[in-house]
Amino acid sequence: MSIGFLLGSPDDAVIWRGPKKNGMIKQFLRDVDWGELDFLIVDTPPRTSDEHLSVVQYLSGAGNRWSSVIITTPQEVSLQDVRKEIRFCQKVKLPIIGVVENMSGFVCPKCKNTSQIFPPSTGGAERMCDELSLTLLGRVPLDPRIGTQ
């Protein structure tokens, strides 16, 4: 489910403040008939906002089955945001399954060699996971073949 499905045009901007956004989150989580699920993925940008608090609050009534998977990129600016999200999860007692490093190298479509477009200047997700005692679940490279299959 996406707010994009409810807009008149793909070019429309959503300009909402707290109560309206939180109401939509509540409606998505409580009123959508999700059917029988193995997983429900809530994709949010890394930050500690009202939206994150709302998601955790609305899902807390469904028991302790909820966990998070943290996605980052190798650059320090991304890791700084992700560290805050990790602390948020810890404070609200949302278990973290692990971390995935996206854009971890670039796979050349011609020669298949991997190069670092976004070098992990401070050690990337692996070092952050070591420092915070988290599991690095994997690395996803930039690979043009992913978008064509």
Side-chain angles (χ1 to χ4, degrees):
M1 177 54 103
S2 171
I3 190 67
F5 297 144
L6 306 175
L7 300 176
S9 161
D11 296 330
D12 286 349
V14 179
I15 304 172
W16 291 350
R17 289 194 173 233
K20 187 127 177 161
K21 288 192 287 186
N22 290 334
M24 183 55 64
I25 291 168
K26 183 177 182 179
Q27 189 171 359
F28 279 176
L29 294 175
R30 291 198 175 159
D31 298 343
V32 172
D33 182 3
W34 294 103
E36 188 70 29
L37 293 176
D38 290 324
F39 298 96
L40 174 64
I41 297 173
V42 179
D43 182 13
T44 63
R47 62 181 106 123
T48 54
S49 65
D50 281 350
E51 293 87 353
H52 290 87
L53 286 169
S54 294
V55 169
V56 170
Q57 177 187 359
Y58 298 141
L59 291 177
S60 67
N64 294 331
R65 302 179 341 206
W66 306 103
S67 302
S68 61
V69 173
I70 306 292
I71 311 296
T72 189
T73 59
Q75 308 96 309
E76 182 56 30
V77 68
S78 177
L79 294 166
Q80 287 173 357
D81 281 344
V82 164
R83 282 185 190 96
K84 292 173 187 171
E85 185 67 21
I86 289 166
R87 297 290 184 232
F88 169 84
C89 290
Q90 291 168 338
K91 284 186 176 187
V92 299
K93 300 188 181 352
L94 180 63
I96 299 171
I97 295 171
V99 176
V100 175
E101 186 176 75
N102 198 13
M103 296 188 227
S104 185
F106 170 75
V107 179
C108 174
K110 301 279 187 213
C111 69
K112 309 298 184 256
N113 287 332
T114 301
S115 58
Q116 296 297 322
I117 294 177
F118 304 110
S121 60
T122 60
E126 184 172 12
R127 182 169 174 197
M128 181 190 71
C129 286
D130 288 344
E131 292 169 356
L132 300 175
S133 300
L134 294 172
T135 301
L136 178 64
L137 299 172
R139 294 181 176 92
V140 180
L142 284 168
D143 188 338
R145 295 173 294 177
I146 291 173
T148 59
Q149 298 180 9

